[in-house]
Amino acid sequence: MASFTTLRDAVAAHVRDGDVVAMEGFTHLIPFAAGHEIIRQGRRDLTLVRMTPDIIYDQMIGMGCARKLVFSWGGNPGVGSLHRMRDAVENQWPHRLDIEEHSHAAMANAYEAGAANLPFAVMRGYKGVTLPEVNPNIRSVTCPFTGEVLAAVPAVRPDVAVIHALRADRRGNVLIEGITGVQKEAVLAARRSIVTVEEIVEDFGPRSPNAVILPHWTVGAIAVVPRGAHPSYAHGYYKRDNAFYQAWDAIARERDAFLAWMEENVMKRADLALEPAR
Amino acid sequence: MASFTTLRDAVAAHVRDGDVVAMEGFTHLIPFAAGHEIIRQGRRDLTLVRMTPDIIYDQMIGMGCARKLVFSWGGNPGVGSLHRMRDAVENQWPHRLDIEEHSHAAMANAYEAGAANLPFAVMRGYKGVTLPEVNPNIRSVTCPFTGEVLAAVPAVRPDVAVIHALRADRRGNVLIEGITGVQKEAVLAARRSIVTVEEIVEDFGPRSPNAVILPHWTVGAIAVVPRGAHPSYAHGYYKRDNAFYQAWDAIARERDAFLAWMEENVMKRADLALEPAR
Amino acid sequence: MNAVTPSEMMTIAAARALRSTDVCFVGIGAPSAACNLARLTHAPGITLIYESGTIDTRPDVLPLSIGDGELCDTALTTVSVPEMFRYWLQGGRITVGFLGGAQIDRFANLNTTVVGDYDKPKVRLPGGGGAPEIAIHCGEIFITMQMGSRAFVETLPFITSLGHGTGPGSRERLGVTTKGPTRVITDLCVMEPDAHTCELTVTSLHPGATREAVQGACGWPVRFAADIAETPAPTAEELTVLRDLHARTRRAHSGEV
Amino acid sequence: MNAVTPSEMMTIAAARALRSTDVCFVGIGAPSAACNLARLTHAPGITLIYESGTIDTRPDVLPLSIGDGELCDTALTTVSVPEMFRYWLQGGRITVGFLGGAQIDRFANLNTTVVGDYDKPKVRLPGGGGAPEIAIHCGEIFITMQMGSRAFVETLPFITSLGHGTGPGSRERLGVTTKGPTRVITDLCVMEPDAHTCELTVTSLHPGATREAVQGACGWPVRFAADIAETPAPTAEELTVLRDLHARTRRAHSGEV
């Protein structure tokens, strides 16, 4: 049942050390502000689930929040490596990071299965590749009608899902438009959820009868965080900050520069998580 | 690849004796005009697939088009029986009708699996009920992670899907809004498709970025048939003719009255299938 | 105001069982009337979902089908039917599912499929539709049915949807974790499964209904709870709202609106 | 007009392989440039799909990520990511998929996962993303990669996506019915799998490129087709459209727009 709160209180109430956390948003609507608040609150030993770790998990990994990463493509899109993720995997800095690696198709299906309350997802995939040899969570099932062998992966069922959405109405219904990714699935698959939004409106007004909406009784804490997806973007509010994505490569390449940037731009900005629900 | 044609030519080209035909539309957008044209063209031995046979299949069964019916709820919604369907199942009139019966959940999942090019669908269902004893197409699979046994049904892969949509644009892209049912899945699961539409527009104009659209390269023949869903309805065009649904009970109860009604209202109205693409 | 009909009493008793926080999977007929009556009286916050995909809908008239345009026009949003059955019903997000049927047994299993042999049916009924999975995925199930000895039967010829199976432990042995039918609301009484035997037991008689009438309309020897109550008579508000709803609905479905 | 760069030649050669009737699953970088160049020149009807869910998109500038707003703003429609991978990619509706990678072998298998041991990697690469299933579900695969002996290698340490496996029959034995990589477009040449051996074979050399240069940038002994062609030089139109596209893109991504 939706409750309106500050981002600080939402994270304090819903994200616990050791949780499996899925912070989704496929390029669009990545919940950066929420990730920063999790870093500021010093969460540890998280299992971070995300199709594309992106800068948000690069930051969380570099700041020591994560014990394990479940992902399917770990780069800075169109730019290059995620240096903090690489440093963790290659050099165990700031500490060891376990990984569970899938393909996009497998992750998308695993979220879908989680939302549908199924224990596993079935797909045609993973043929002729090495990943099943290094990931014991890639198995198979046999079609009981045709005998075909298909790939199976466990459903994603996070302890908490964190997403950024365009807006909520006064009842706590949440609207997403544009590239909707797997956010709806992540929230429906999770036990708890935090939704940051650009704004709260009285009513969504005229809209498609098939608008992508999470009803208020399916979401947990809602916090208003304008520009809460930056440097990702919010359809109709602001554009993706591609210049920042390119700049991140230099910021994150060395540990010291990374830590300095985080100190200045994240650790000192607790004020950003105190926006009251309006 | 979409081609614009008359309904008569669409049915002549795409629906063949013995085909597996899925004519979908969940209460909304039922393709009545296309069903009538199939009746007029005298198709035989069809396997008719539809979650809710509704009046459209009552008519097709009563007119002798069907050898088999695959369905999940065979009543006249809110009114009572489908008398022609019952007469076929109970008394083999006008001839024997085989049935393959599922639950709604199974059929919906089977269409979804068909659209996703999977050989079968997995669901939690069919527990403690008799249907699996009389339908050999209800089987099981075991989760390779938890050991849980789940129900499995074959994917629906029709030879031809027939749907009614709101409108197409000049390129042949097709828009559906409102109660979208399983129409998109039916078309994507089928080898061929016929789409009747209320109108053809130059461009869909302003719309939700997530509007339910079948791209032109996924559909077959498109025919303009205004009110082609009546007595079902088209969101934003006309309402469901509930009075007709109630009147159908008396029309269809006796064979003679049914045949007389069909002769007058369907067989003599071949002109309705000649609307040119505009 | 005219006398209360048994059908009205049934609908009103069903409506009272709903809470404002419920998320309700609604069937056509009496369930739809009960759910909307609850919404228009004591449970304004109730979320009504129809299997056509319409979520949080607030129809002004009762739909004839589960997919009338009215449901979509007044819904928060409408999803595809596969999504409805996967994410919403199987997803375990529904607190109350409403079912009815042609036949019921003492463990609240239902038959809406066939009377007689499946392959050579005496009466072919509509079939299960959403019921088999509604019965196992909703938090609990309310059943509304008019009583009669051909409907309340000793043995079902076909189980379309699971109630309490053959008694205690049946649902658990099938891996089903939801409560199943917690009340059967009829035109004469309310029945609830006994806590120990799971057998339907009359817990409340509607005004004017007698034990004899209930037994006369039931094909098995009926059990009555020790502390049997009388269902409170409909209030003026309940009756007015229900009759207005039905009147609006009749006008709309006859094509007058 | 400035001299054509090898990168431009690669993109233009890739664009030419696309048809106006293609439905193309587009990756970021060279594939995105090639697909949009094709759309803006000889293949105006081409349908471009990005794995973010954007269908039939017509971006004015190249996206930096596969989910830039530009893609959604100009798309026919945008679907969820599970739907994209289930109905559209696995559904078998894509005629051409574009892939690139850090490493390729002579059978056009690709590695974008890891160099060194998987558990103790020398270089951790981004991973597969959509590639493992793009490689098997699209009608055919085009690969664009700059040549170099560390990229075109004798043996892959990790197979991220399937090409022609270990040679003839590999795909069939895995139950894969699509063609797989039908051409590899590099900065020096175009390679195609030999009809009999499936081994990548140079079928066309770009203007100025030599057999020696190709061999020098390849970690296995390169095979050349008997009737090797010279890739036609870029036309003025191709070069102008491509450079304009890149210029618009640079301005947009630097935040100037």
Side-chain angles (χ1 to χ4, degrees):
Chain A
M1 195 59 61
S3 68
F4 294 98
T5 179
T6 62
L7 177 56
R8 187 177 69 178
D9 290 349
V11 167
H14 291 295
V15 184
R16 300 159 197 170
D17 286 353
D19 271 354
V20 177
V21 183
M23 308 183 67
E24 277 294 349
F26 199 84
T27 313
H28 180 213
L29 291 172
I30 300 176
F32 271 93
H36 292 170
E37 181 60 18
I38 292 171
I39 292 170
R40 279 191 295 267
Q41 293 194 19
R43 289 294 174 286
R44 289 293 176 269
D45 293 323
L46 302 178
T47 293
L48 294 178
V49 185
R50 226 184 107 73
M51 293 182 66
T52 60
D54 205 272
I55 292 176
I56 188 175
Y57 278 9
D58 211 35
Q59 294 174 341
M60 293 175 74
I61 290 166
M63 295 299 282
C65 301
R67 185 183 62 74
K68 182 177 175 182
L69 175 68
V70 181
F71 76 108
S72 45
W73 192 83
N76 181 349
V79 178
S81 290
L82 291 174
H83 297 291
R84 294 300 96 223
M85 173 188 155
R86 278 187 61 177
D87 204 11
V89 173
E90 295 173 6
N91 310 308
Q92 293 80 51
W93 191 93
H95 51 65
R96 176 187 167 83
L97 178 72
D98 292 335
I99 62 172
E100 176 179 334
E101 185 169 3
H102 287 281
S103 67
H104 275 353
M107 290 279 288
N109 275 292
Y111 274 114
E112 206 277 354
N117 190 29
L118 290 171
F120 72 109
V122 178
M123 61 178 225
R124 284 186 161 136
Y126 282 136
K127 302 223 177 197
V129 299
T130 311
L131 206 53
E133 297 170 21
V134 297
N135 181 349
N137 267 345
I138 301 173
R139 300 186 188 174
S140 65
V141 290
T142 302
C143 172
F145 301 98
T146 63
E148 180 181 345
V149 177
L150 295 103
V153 292
V156 171
R157 299 307 299 261
D159 293 309
V160 56
V162 182
I163 67 166
H164 186 75
L166 299 184
R167 47 194 172 274
D169 70 14
R170 289 268 162 220
R171 298 176 68 205
N173 300 304
V174 169
L175 177 78
I176 306 173
E177 273 190 336
I179 292 174
T180 58
V182 293
Q183 286 101 301
K184 180 170 167 176
E185 286 76 13
V187 169
L188 295 180
R191 285 177 187 78
R192 305 184 298 276
S193 61
I194 297 174
V195 181
T196 56
V197 294
E198 288 295 322
E199 59 176 330
I200 294 172
V201 295
E202 202 55 41
D203 184 273
F204 292 139
R207 62 188 182 276
S208 160
N210 308 111
V212 181
I213 292 176
L214 283 163
H216 62 92
W217 41 276
T218 63
V219 300
I222 298 178
V224 179
V225 187
R227 292 185 65 81
H230 178 269
S232 169
Y233 69 105
H235 182 90
Y237 289 85
Y238 46 93
K239 289 190 166 190
R240 190 171 192 266
D241 189 348
N242 282 331
F244 180 83
Y245 270 85
Q246 289 168 322
W248 182 252
D249 191 72
I251 295 168
R253 193 173 289 268
E254 301 299 335
R255 295 169 185 173
D256 287 349
F258 164 74
L259 290 172
W261 191 92
M262 292 299 290
E263 180 63 26
E264 200 59 36
N265 296 282
V266 175
M267 301 311 285
K268 288 184 177 168
R269 298 306 308 275
D271 57 302
L272 294 174
L274 295 174
E275 188 94 18
R278 291 167 307 187
Chain B
M1 195 59 61
S3 67
F4 294 98
T5 179
T6 62
L7 176 55
R8 187 178 68 178
D9 290 349
V11 168
H14 291 296
V15 184
R16 300 159 197 171
D17 285 355
D19 270 355
V20 177
V21 183
M23 307 183 67
E24 277 294 350
F26 200 84
T27 312
H28 180 214
L29 290 174
I30 300 176
F32 271 93
H36 292 172
E37 181 60 18
I38 291 172
I39 292 170
R40 279 191 295 267
Q41 294 195 18
R43 287 296 175 285
R44 288 295 176 268
D45 294 323
L46 302 178
T47 292
L48 294 179
V49 185
R50 226 184 107 72
M51 294 181 66
T52 62
D54 206 271
I55 292 176
I56 187 174
Y57 278 9
D58 211 34
Q59 295 174 340
M60 294 176 73
I61 289 167
M63 296 299 282
C65 302
R67 185 182 62 75
K68 183 177 176 183
L69 174 68
V70 181
F71 76 108
S72 44
W73 193 81
N76 180 348
V79 179
S81 289
L82 292 174
H83 297 292
R84 295 300 96 223
M85 174 187 155
R86 276 188 63 177
D87 204 11
V89 173
E90 296 174 5
N91 310 307
Q92 293 79 52
W93 190 91
H95 52 65
R96 176 187 167 82
L97 178 72
D98 292 335
I99 62 171
E100 176 178 334
E101 184 170 2
H102 287 282
S103 67
H104 276 352
M107 289 279 288
N109 275 292
Y111 274 114
E112 206 277 354
N117 191 29
L118 291 171
F120 72 110
V122 178
M123 61 178 227
R124 284 187 160 136
Y126 282 135
K127 302 224 177 197
V129 299
T130 312
L131 206 53
E133 297 170 21
V134 296
N135 181 348
N137 268 344
I138 301 172
R139 301 187 187 173
S140 66
V141 290
T142 301
C143 172
F145 302 98
T146 64
E148 180 181 347
V149 177
L150 296 101
V153 291
V156 171
R157 299 307 298 261
D159 292 309
V160 55
V162 181
I163 67 166
H164 186 74
L166 299 184
R167 46 194 172 275
D169 71 13
R170 291 268 164 221
R171 297 177 68 205
N173 300 304
V174 170
L175 178 77
I176 307 173
E177 272 190 336
I179 292 174
T180 58
V182 292
Q183 287 101 300
K184 181 170 167 176
E185 285 76 14
V187 169
L188 295 180
R191 285 177 188 76
R192 305 185 297 278
S193 61
I194 297 174
V195 181
T196 56
V197 294
E198 289 296 323
E199 60 176 329
I200 294 172
V201 296
E202 201 55 42
D203 185 272
F204 292 138
R207 62 188 182 277
S208 159
N210 307 112
V212 181
I213 292 176
L214 284 162
H216 62 91
W217 42 276
T218 63
V219 299
I222 298 178
V224 180
V225 187
R227 293 183 65 79
H230 179 270
S232 169
Y233 69 106
H235 182 90
Y237 290 85
Y238 46 92
K239 289 191 168 190
R240 191 171 191 266
D241 188 348
N242 283 331
F244 181 84
Y245 271 86
Q246 290 169 320
W248 181 252
D249 191 72
I251 295 167
R253 193 174 288 268
E254 302 298 335
R255 295 171 186 171
D256 288 350
F258 163 74
L259 289 172
W261 190 92
M262 291 299 291
E263 180 62 26
E264 200 59 38
N265 295 282
V266 175
M267 301 312 285
K268 289 184 177 167
R269 299 304 309 276
D271 57 303
L272 295 173
L274 296 174
E275 187 94 19
R278 291 166 308 187
Chain C
M1 205 170 272
N2 296 333
V4 178
T5 69
S7 164
E8 286 173 337
M9 185 68 247
M10 178 170 86
T11 300
I12 289 167
R16 289 172 183 162
L18 294 166
R19 294 140 296 206
S20 205
T21 52
D22 273 327
V23 176
C24 191
F25 210 80
V26 187
I28 284 304
S32 186
C35 291
N36 282 287
L37 176 59
R39 179 175 64 81
L40 296 169
T41 54
H42 69 281
I46 194 168
T47 299
L48 303 187
I49 293 184
Y50 289 70
E51 65 195 7
S52 54
T54 50
I55 295 178
D56 197 0
T57 178
R58 302 166 172 275
D60 187 51
V61 304
L62 296 176
L64 182 66
S65 75
I66 39 71
D68 280 23
E70 175 86 2
L71 295 174
C72 178
D73 293 344
T74 63
L76 176 64
T77 189
T78 298
V79 301
S80 76
V81 165
E83 179 179 324
M84 175 51 65
F85 281 96
R86 289 173 71 83
Y87 289 5
W88 300 89
L89 181 61
Q90 183 175 267
R93 275 167 254 285
I94 315 290
T95 62
V96 176
F98 257 103
L99 291 176
Q103 296 185 316
I104 187 171
D105 69 14
R106 75 183 67 197
F107 294 115
N109 304 295
L110 292 170
N111 172 28
T112 59
T113 303
V114 74
V115 178
D117 184 65
Y118 184 80
D119 291 316
K120 293 198 170 42
K122 193 150 50 166
V123 183
R124 175 63 227 199
L125 301 163
E133 284 72 32
I134 292 172
I136 60 175
H137 293 311
C138 297
E140 62 186 311
I141 298 293
F142 295 166
I143 294 170
T144 53
M145 278 177 70
Q146 305 230 2
M147 291 197 75
S149 55
R150 294 207 302 188
F152 283 62
V153 298
E154 183 69 43
T155 306
L156 294 179
F158 195 100
I159 299 181
T160 306
S161 67
L162 176 68
H164 297 286
T166 55
S170 280
R171 294 176 70 87
E172 293 74 4
R173 279 193 295 277
L174 291 164
V176 178
T177 57
T178 51
K179 288 183 190 167
T182 53
R183 85 182 62 193
V184 178
I185 301 121
T186 78
D187 49 338
L188 298 175
C189 64
V190 175
M191 295 176 166
E192 297 177 44
D194 180 85
H196 300 293
T197 65
C198 293
E199 184 176 333
L200 289 177
T201 305
V202 176
T203 55
S204 181
L205 283 168
H206 297 340
T210 62
R211 291 176 183 233
E212 292 67 33
V214 169
Q215 181 61 73
C218 186
W220 68 80
V222 183
R223 299 180 63 92
F224 294 85
D227 53 344
I228 200 162
E230 179 172 298
T231 313
T235 66
E237 188 208 359
E238 286 169 333
L239 217 45
T240 304
V241 171
L242 179 61
R243 289 176 176 178
D244 285 355
L245 182 61
H246 278 310
R248 283 200 302 278
T249 300
R250 266 191 303 275
R251 280 197 301 276
H253 292 184
S254 66
E256 290 171 35
V257 176
Chain D
M1 204 171 272
N2 295 333
V4 179
T5 69
S7 164
E8 287 172 335
M9 186 67 248
M10 178 169 86
T11 299
I12 289 167
R16 289 172 182 163
L18 294 165
R19 294 140 298 206
S20 205
T21 53
D22 273 327
V23 177
C24 192
F25 211 81
V26 187
I28 284 305
S32 186
C35 291
N36 282 288
L37 176 59
R39 180 175 63 81
L40 296 169
T41 55
H42 69 281
I46 194 169
T47 300
L48 304 187
I49 294 183
Y50 288 71
E51 66 195 8
S52 54
T54 50
I55 294 178
D56 197 0
T57 178
R58 302 166 172 276
D60 186 51
V61 304
L62 296 176
L64 182 66
S65 75
I66 39 71
D68 280 23
E70 175 85 4
L71 295 174
C72 178
D73 294 343
T74 62
L76 175 64
T77 188
T78 298
V79 300
S80 75
V81 166
E83 179 179 325
M84 175 50 65
F85 281 96
R86 289 172 71 83
Y87 290 3
W88 300 90
L89 182 61
Q90 185 176 265
R93 276 167 252 287
I94 315 290
T95 62
V96 176
F98 256 103
L99 292 175
Q103 295 185 317
I104 187 170
D105 69 14
R106 73 183 69 197
F107 293 114
N109 303 296
L110 292 170
N111 173 29
T112 59
T113 304
V114 74
V115 177
D117 183 67
Y118 184 80
D119 291 317
K120 293 199 168 44
K122 193 149 50 166
V123 183
R124 175 63 228 197
L125 301 164
E133 283 73 31
I134 292 172
I136 60 175
H137 293 312
C138 296
E140 62 186 312
I141 298 293
F142 296 166
I143 294 170
T144 52
M145 278 177 69
Q146 306 233 1
M147 292 197 74
S149 54
R150 294 206 303 187
F152 283 62
V153 298
E154 182 69 44
T155 307
L156 294 179
F158 195 99
I159 298 181
T160 305
S161 66
L162 177 67
H164 296 286
T166 54
S170 279
R171 294 176 71 87
E172 292 76 4
R173 279 192 295 277
L174 291 163
V176 178
T177 56
T178 51
K179 287 185 192 167
T182 53
R183 87 182 61 194
V184 177
I185 301 120
T186 79
D187 49 338
L188 298 174
C189 64
V190 176
M191 295 174 166
E192 298 177 43
D194 180 85
H196 300 292
T197 67
C198 292
E199 184 176 333
L200 289 177
T201 305
V202 176
T203 54
S204 179
L205 282 169
H206 297 338
T210 62
R211 292 177 182 229
E212 293 67 32
V214 170
Q215 181 61 74
C218 186
W220 68 81
V222 183
R223 298 179 64 92
F224 293 85
D227 53 343
I228 199 163
E230 178 172 300
T231 313
T235 66
E237 188 208 0
E238 286 170 334
L239 217 45
T240 304
V241 172
L242 179 61
R243 288 176 177 179
D244 284 354
L245 181 61
H246 277 311
R248 284 199 301 278
T249 300
R250 267 192 302 275
R251 280 196 301 275
H253 293 183
S254 65
E256 289 169 36
V257 176

